[in-house]
Amino acid sequence: MARATPDADLSAVPPPRRAAGWRERWLAFRHRLVARPAFQRWAAGFPLTRPVAQRNARALFDLCAGFVYAQVLFACVRLDLFRMLADGPLPPETVAGRAGLPPDSARLLLRAAASLDLLTPLPDGRYALADLGAALLGNPGVAAMITHHAMLYDDLRDPVALLRREGGPTRLAAYWGYAGAADPAGLPEEATGPYSALMGTSQALIAGDILDAWPLARHRRLLDIGGGEGAFAIAALRRHPQLRLTLFDLPPVAARARARFAAEGLAERAEAVGGSFHAGLPPGADAVSLVRVVHDHDDAPALALLSAAHAALAPGGTLLLAEPMAGTPGAEPVGDAYFGFYLLAMGSGRPRTAADLAGMLARAGFSAVREVPTRRPMLTRLLVAERPPGQRVSHQHV
């Protein structure tokens, strides 16, 4: 046998096989058993295992049919069905006339929406809103995201090609122009307008949750990085009259925010600065917010962004990092499946666990990193970190 030399390629040597523990052996046995059609038939008929077998069969079918369910929801939103029923129940014939559908198609859609708990069928044949349908009326940001998903579904037609990066440019990458731009700060207004409006509606949905979790009453100036058209910024200013605010985003986006601040009567307390964080951020704020921003960036630029935020923050100041996160208990598919594939199609960023983000914050120089509970962690979780008081003030300017 040849003796290994110091420059041998040890990466080609497979690692030693670890002996399987009792749990792995049990799982292997269990999975072999469950995979057998004969066992599946027996489990579906045996009284003690029948509920589990039926629940698993339903879950598997729901995974297969999930796209159809999503398209039913999309059709309801596109036809404005929930608003149509906002004033009271309607018969299928009336819905058909208002939606421009053949009567049979209207009945099909209404039954499908009722099966998904979006509508409630009444004994007289009319349909009324159910709680889920009513909730959508109060959340225009959700309806905007549902409509926006047409691009994502197009990009996911061949998920294997997407995973292998073989499908070419995606629609989402073109929509989120900054994701693949060599110079995002140079993007024209027409490339930023559509996604800025979408960001505004989605941020408005979670702004209250963030401000409930971490009131800004103790802070005097907030730097909102990547704040879009200012949905979160305006919510913060409305809630805290003492607050002054600087929003930082790409130049055309900052211009839209500036106009919105003026329209809201907040121009005296809020400014919008355009630029690239690579050139530095406006200094002096005692609080910095990153609302659904970090997960849009790959690891290296995300760490650079956090480092820039640390440099801009006054010593003793607080950073708020709010976004949906991977591994959220009870909502694992939201971070790991939905945002995982969405950001893959977008071409930039990835969902991270709270522990991943806490590690990045520590590497960027922050201390006392902790999670503050929010009302709806599925939509957004909140990490709070501090710039240690003893650190010197940075004098970086945009």
Side-chain angles (χ1 to χ4, degrees):
M1 180 180 293
R3 186 175 58 169
T5 59
D7 58 351
D9 182 9
L10 298 182
S11 64
V13 180
R17 185 178 180 85
R18 181 173 59 85
W22 68 266
R23 186 172 185 274
E24 292 182 27
R25 292 194 296 272
W26 160 247
L27 287 174
F29 167 77
R30 175 189 172 95
H31 295 158
R32 286 195 299 270
L33 187 65
V34 171
R36 296 175 183 170
F39 176 80
Q40 294 173 17
R41 289 194 301 272
W42 172 85
F46 185 63
L48 294 180
T49 57
R50 184 185 301 138
V52 176
Q54 291 178 346
R55 186 167 59 249
N56 288 345
R58 168 65 190 271
L60 186 59
F61 186 85
D62 283 347
L63 286 174
C64 296
F67 176 75
V68 177
Y69 300 161
Q71 292 300 85
V72 170
L73 178 59
F74 177 75
C76 290
V77 170
R78 185 172 174 182
L79 294 171
D80 211 12
L81 181 60
F82 304 124
R83 195 164 305 283
M84 192 185 302
L85 297 171
D87 293 331
L90 293 174
E93 295 76 17
T94 302
V95 171
R98 295 185 183 180
L101 297 175
D104 288 347
S105 296
R107 293 188 185 92
L108 174 63
L109 178 60
L110 290 166
R111 287 196 300 268
S115 74
L116 298 175
D117 295 325
L118 295 165
L119 303 179
T120 298
L122 301 180
D124 62 3
R126 294 179 302 161
Y127 285 82
L129 288 176
D131 287 350
L132 289 180
L136 279 166
L137 284 177
N139 293 291
V142 176
M145 286 300 299
I146 292 168
T147 303
H148 166 71
H149 280 159
M151 296 184 193
L152 175 61
Y153 299 154
D154 194 29
D155 290 339
L156 288 177
R157 282 180 300 171
D158 188 346
V160 175
L162 182 65
L163 287 163
R164 291 173 174 167
R165 274 74 166 182
E166 295 175 347
T170 63
R171 292 187 66 188
L172 281 185
Y175 182 82
W176 300 97
Y178 66 83
D183 179 22
L187 288 174
E189 198 281 335
E190 59 268 21
T192 63
Y195 79 71
S196 296
L198 181 66
M199 282 178 59
T201 56
S202 63
Q203 280 193 350
L205 179 66
I206 61 169
D209 290 3
I210 299 168
L211 295 170
D212 288 342
W214 189 265
L216 294 169
R218 73 193 73 177
H219 300 288
R220 61 175 183 81
R221 175 165 286 277
L222 173 68
L223 172 62
D224 186 26
I225 302 173
E229 296 183 358
F232 175 74
I234 291 170
L237 290 167
R238 294 289 189 209
R239 189 175 295 203
H240 299 288
Q242 90 292 345
L243 195 65
R244 299 293 184 271
L245 182 139
T246 299
L247 182 146
F248 185 89
D249 212 311
L250 300 177
V253 181
R256 295 169 69 93
R258 200 174 300 119
R260 187 166 178 192
F261 290 153
E264 296 283 343
L266 296 169
E268 292 185 0
R269 297 170 52 204
E271 64 174 346
V273 177
S276 168
F277 72 83
H278 293 291
L281 295 166
D286 63 343
V288 167
S289 55
L290 288 159
V291 179
R292 289 190 167 188
V293 172
V294 177
H295 69 357
D296 286 355
H297 296 81
D298 294 332
D299 287 348
L303 184 57
L305 173 59
L306 294 176
S307 298
H310 177 272
L313 186 62
T318 302
L319 178 133
L320 309 178
L321 193 164
E323 62 188 41
M325 298 179 193
T328 297
E332 289 85 356
V334 176
D336 294 302
Y338 172 78
F339 278 104
F341 272 81
Y342 186 100
L343 294 170
L344 177 65
M346 178 176 158
S348 177
R350 66 181 182 88
R352 299 176 177 88
T353 65
D356 291 336
L357 291 166
M360 296 179 73
L361 286 166
R363 290 196 295 277
F366 290 97
S367 64
V369 181
R370 59 205 182 277
E371 181 169 3
V372 178
T374 58
R375 294 181 187 273
R376 295 172 289 186
M378 179 185 75
L379 298 180
T380 189
R381 293 167 68 181
L382 176 62
L383 295 184
V384 176
E386 297 176 3
R387 175 172 176 172
Q391 292 183 339
R392 295 170 52 193
V393 178
S394 170
H395 295 290
Q396 292 189 20
H397 295 273
V398 179

